[in-house]
Amino acid sequence: MNDAAPAPTPAPAPRRARVRAPELIGKGGWLNTGGKELTLADLRGRIVILDFWTFCCINCLHVLDELRELEEKHRDTVVIIGVHSPKFVHEAEHAAVVDAVERYEVHHPVLDDPELATWKQYAVRAWPTLVVIDPEGYVVAQHAGEGHAHAIERLVEELEAEHGAKGTLRRGDGPYVAPEPVATDLRFPGKAVVLPSGNLLVSDSTRHQLVELAADGESVVRRIGSGERGFGPQAFSEPQGLALLPDGRVVVADTVNHALRVFDPATGAVETVAGTGRQWWQGSPTSGPALEVDLSSPWDVAWWQGRVWIAMAGVHQLWTWDPEAGTVAVAAGTTNEGLVDGPAAEAWFAQPSGLAAADDRLWVADSETSALRYVEPDGEGGYAVRSAVGTGLFDFGHRDGDAAQALLQHPLGVTALPDGSVAVCDTYNHALRRYDPATGQVTTLATDLREPSDAVLVGEDIVVVESARHRLTRLRLPEEAVRVDAVAHRTRRASTEVAPGTLRLDVVFQAPAGQKLDTRYGPSTRLLVSSTPPELLAAGEGAGTDLFRDLELNPEVTEGVLHVSAMAASCDDDPANEYPACHVHQQDWGVPLTVTPTGTARLPLVLAGLDG
């Protein structure tokens, strides 16, 4: 007789919330569908992943790359829909969205939503955000930020099994229709450099190559790279920045490979000198042997003070590579996104994307704050970061005059001029601007340049990389500035109305199925909170390990931006596996707030899961 108690009946798995997915609407219409307008009814029977993105956002570009493998593996069951939701005014232009879809090789349908209509319907608060819709048209998951591809892959497999068994899964070709390719010598070129020979070397980003042009800037001398994405000796992945080394070789920011490469014009050889090919995540080493340390979307490079400085756009920092020592290290920035000046280790950047070395300064185009900034020695053996133009994440426009009130819009390039002034490729204003440190004035040198991303001096001329016109354009530096009508903008995102007093901040995180929080070495979550202006918060700023916090709002401040950075690490929940696979989920939010008596007392931000 067996006296053992019967095994307990397993608890039923919790039912997913049944939230009907709102319809997909956007005044810009559809891309990559052959002219067809899609509805959710058209997609019934398929697993739909909505990717809310905007093309200025480096984290959004990371997610595009994260999804490529899943998109290919589950192409007969999964339809990814990009919902383009602009931050900048330029990003609301339909032609600019068309360009971005080609530039970043987006191989799925894209809804152009310039008025953020679908963004609002899905209560999205951050770029990027992924929403999963099941074959019956219900929202089953939401993820903000990067690092969620593994969780979505697991969910997709569950949905395939569940709806395959129910008979509600429909397999087959998706609605993607590839646009016709266009023949041009360059396709969305990124950066350029003048070689010792007088020829120009250009990063042909969308074609994953470097192109050497004759001194006329038009005739192709040779192409370097296979033209296919890759990380081999003759392959690049969306290369951007270029800088001439003292020995005549060229260091290349191989952006999507998260690496630095060196190209030798004399031999044609390409070698990797920094990076592993993997993306850097919080907790990874920030210094060490260059080939053993992960990098994150290096966007530009410059030789300054005996080292190569790197605009590490993916983590909002500046790093350096020392060729002699063979090491890399963080040089400035905390990884927090914003505009904060001061000692290099305490400064905040927001997607630095352009560098230019002058004798005493390293100029930085800090794109997401629409700012021109610089690094200079602090006189004590270190460096300090200062801002010349720009005020923060949400103010941008085209306004000349005194630098304190001048406005740029997402600049990607900067060039030091012989007279000590600086030319700025004001990318989303389609203009070349100039800042003169001697007078503190900002002027406009040229307009009607389509998304200029870099410029180099050639004699008395300046050669501009017109990225969205797929060409280099030679200009004579004008004696006088161009007159333009001043325009100022604020981000299109609606402000969240909150009640005065205590605001409950809840970062929603639910570990993916089959995983649990990784607590082997202490807390596996992190929350960092700050505000602009700092006076917005009377209490609650700073770092902690809980994903919730009570914030005290200052009664004397009625509006501002809440900066929230959250991270959670989860691992496979398998007691038999001594070394379970672990994953990091992270996201930064900048949430505009307006304090009103009728506002909410709770601010939920979804990192992963659904807000109950």
Side-chain angles (χ1 to χ4, degrees), residues 48-60:
V48 178
I49 301 172
L50 304 182
D51 176 15
F52 290 86
W53 70 298
T54 188
F55 64 77
C56 72
C57 161
I58 190 67
N59 312 91
C60 300

Side-chain angles (χ1 to χ4, degrees), residues 25-30 37 94 111-117:
I25 53 175
K27 283 200 170 181
W30 288 89
E37 295 203 359
H94 184 69
L111 174 64
D112 181 10
D113 182 17
E115 297 180 351
L116 302 181

Side-chain angles (χ1 to χ4, degrees), residues 1-7:
M1 182 176 178
N2 187 348
D3 294 327

Side-chain angles (χ1 to χ4, degrees), residues 426-444:
D426 193 5
T427 308
Y428 287 3
N429 280 327
H430 312 299
L432 189 68
R433 311 284 293 281
R434 177 176 179 264
Y435 167 68
D436 186 351
T439 63
Q441 296 293 300
V442 175
T443 54
T444 298

Side-chain angles (χ1 to χ4, degrees), residues 35 40 53 272 422 424 461 529 571:
L40 286 176
W53 70 298
T272 302
V422 186
V424 180
D461 296 338
V529 179
C571 295

Side-chain angles (χ1 to χ4, degrees), residues 255-606:
T255 304
V256 177
N257 278 328
H258 309 295
L260 297 188
R261 321 290 290 283
V262 165
F263 165 64
D264 188 340
T267 65
V270 176
E271 65 172 317
T272 302
V273 296
T276 63
R278 297 183 301 269
Q279 183 183 340
W280 185 94
W281 290 96
Q282 288 286 352
S284 300
T286 55
S287 63
L291 291 169
E292 299 175 15
V293 177
D294 298 340
L295 309 182
S296 182
S297 296
W299 206 273
D300 203 7
V301 281
W303 178 261
W304 187 57
Q305 297 202 339
R307 290 177 290 172
V308 171
W309 288 67
I310 309 163
M312 203 71 78
V315 285
H316 317 299
Q317 291 179 312
L318 304 182
W319 288 41
T320 58
W321 168 55
D322 185 334
E324 287 193 16
T327 56
V328 292
V330 172
T334 64
T335 75
N336 294 321
E337 184 179 12
L339 192 153
V340 175
D341 290 338
E346 300 172 13
W348 292 22
F349 293 94
Q351 219 168 296
S353 301
L355 300 175
D359 289 339
D360 57 345
R361 289 179 177 175
L362 179 71
W363 294 97
V364 183
D366 201 28
S367 62
E368 280 293 288
T369 53
S370 298
L372 173 65
R373 307 176 73 186
Y374 59 92
V375 180
E376 63 181 358
D378 63 5
E380 299 177 1
Y383 295 94
V385 176
R386 313 284 183 216
S387 295
V389 182
T391 58
L393 286 165
F394 298 104
D395 295 290
F396 51 90
H398 190 153
R399 187 162 64 198
D400 289 330
D402 186 76
Q405 56 85 52
L407 294 171
L408 309 170
Q409 188 181 177
H410 198 80
L412 292 178
V414 60
T415 307
L417 300 178
D419 64 357
S421 66
V422 186
V424 180
C425 287
D426 193 5
T427 308
Y428 287 3
N429 280 327
H430 312 299
L432 189 68
R433 311 284 293 281
R434 177 176 179 264
Y435 167 68
D436 186 351
T439 63
Q441 296 293 300
V442 175
T443 54
T444 298
L445 297 176
T447 57
D448 191 30
L449 298 166
R450 189 70 183 169
E451 291 192 17
S453 54
D454 196 21
V456 293
L457 289 171
V458 179
E460 296 183 354
D461 296 338
I462 189 165
V463 175
V464 179
V465 180
E466 270 197 281
S467 189
R469 283 202 177 111
H470 320 293
R471 70 186 188 191
L472 304 188
T473 298
R474 186 181 295 262
L475 304 172
R476 180 59 54 93
L477 279 170
E479 296 290 335
E480 294 186 6
V482 177
R483 293 187 61 84
V484 295
D485 293 329
V487 59
H489 300 293
R490 291 278 290 173
T491 179
R492 291 170 168 260
R493 290 181 57 188
S495 182
T496 298
E497 294 188 353
V498 297
T502 301
L503 175 66
R504 173 71 172 204
L505 172 65
D506 282 322
V507 174
V508 177
F509 178 76
Q510 295 156 6
Q515 294 185 23
K516 64 179 181 179
L517 286 173
D518 178 17
T519 56
R520 292 171 297 166
Y521 309 108
S524 62
T525 55
R526 186 192 69 161
L527 180 63
L528 180 67
V529 179
S530 62
S531 64
T532 304
E535 296 78 19
L536 175 66
L537 291 180
E541 72 280 0
T545 57
D546 291 326
L547 291 181
F548 58 87
R549 193 172 302 174
D550 288 328
L551 309 177
E552 293 296 329
L553 301 175
N554 185 341
E556 297 180 2
V557 180
T558 58
E559 64 177 11
V561 178
L562 188 67
H563 303 284
V564 180
S565 177
M567 184 273 288
S570 63
C571 295
D572 291 346
D573 188 7
D574 181 4
N577 187 352
E578 186 178 355
Y579 302 104
C582 297
H583 308 275
V584 175
H585 317 253
Q586 64 183 46
Q587 172 63 8
D588 295 335
W589 291 267
V591 184
L593 300 182
T594 301
V595 181
T596 65
T598 58
T600 182
R602 177 177 178 264
L603 177 63
L605 300 176
V606 177

